[in-house]
Structure formats: structure tokens, C-alpha cells
Amino acid sequence: MRWNPSPNRERSIYEFMRDAAQVGAAFHGCHMALRVHGLVDRPLIPEYSGTTGATVFVTRALDAEWSTLVFWISLSLPPRESRPEP
């Protein structure tokens, strides 16, 4: 699946993420969100830096030395009751 920032953009979000990773950006996933969506211990993109919890995120968001960006990609997942238990 290819996600673009808008219909008139040719570059995908992932292409922008790869560019950011090349200059040092780190991509962390929320452990609770990954668990809810059944993504814990599943292969993710090579640029994925690891899992962090909410406390770590809040601490980094408040730290002037860090820049944080939060975004949500809505996936079409099967109903929760039909997904395997995490």
C-alpha cells in the first residue's frame, strides 16, 4: 500500500520517512498501539527505531533537546474480535 500526503503528491509518506532517517530521524512506535493492532514482534520498516511507552514519549516531548512528531495512519483492519490475541 502506498500512502501519499495528498492526492496530488507523487512521493509517498514512506519516501519522506526514508529521507528523514538518512539525516538522523528516529521512528519509534507506541507499545500500546502496536499491541492493540497486533503488530508487536512483527516485521516493520527498516527505519523503525524501536518501541517506546507513553511515559518516554511525554518525557521527550517536554525535553527541549528533542523534537517530536505524532501522526496517525488509519488502517483498514478486520474487526477486533477477529484479530489474533497479541
Side-chain angles (χ1 to χ4, degrees), residues 21-38:
Q22 288 177 353
V23 295
F27 296 95
H28 297 271
C30 170
H31 180 73
M32 290 188 317
L34 291 169
R35 185 174 36 119
V36 165
H37 292 289

Side-chain angles (χ1 to χ4, degrees), residues 60-73:
R60 289 179 179 167
L62 295 172
D63 186 335
E65 296 294 316
W66 282 82
S67 294
T68 56
L69 171 66
V70 177
F71 65 94
W72 174 263
I73 296 175

Side-chain angles (χ1 to χ4, degrees), residues 6-72:
S6 65
N8 60 350
R9 300 284 178 139
E10 292 185 19
R11 294 190 73 214
S12 70
I13 292 171
Y14 180 53
E15 289 170 313
F16 286 108
M17 291 172 72
R18 283 191 308 207
D19 290 349
Q22 288 177 353
V23 295
F27 296 95
H28 297 271
C30 170
H31 180 73
M32 290 188 317
L34 291 169
R35 185 174 36 119
V36 165
H37 292 289
L39 298 173
V40 173
D41 298 326
R42 290 195 37 200
L44 300 172
I45 61 172
E47 295 78 11
Y48 179 65
S49 304
T51 303
T52 58
T55 303
V56 172
F57 171 77
V58 169
T59 301
R60 289 179 179 167
L62 295 172
D63 186 335
E65 296 294 316
W66 282 82
S67 294
T68 56
L69 171 66
V70 177
F71 65 94
W72 174 263

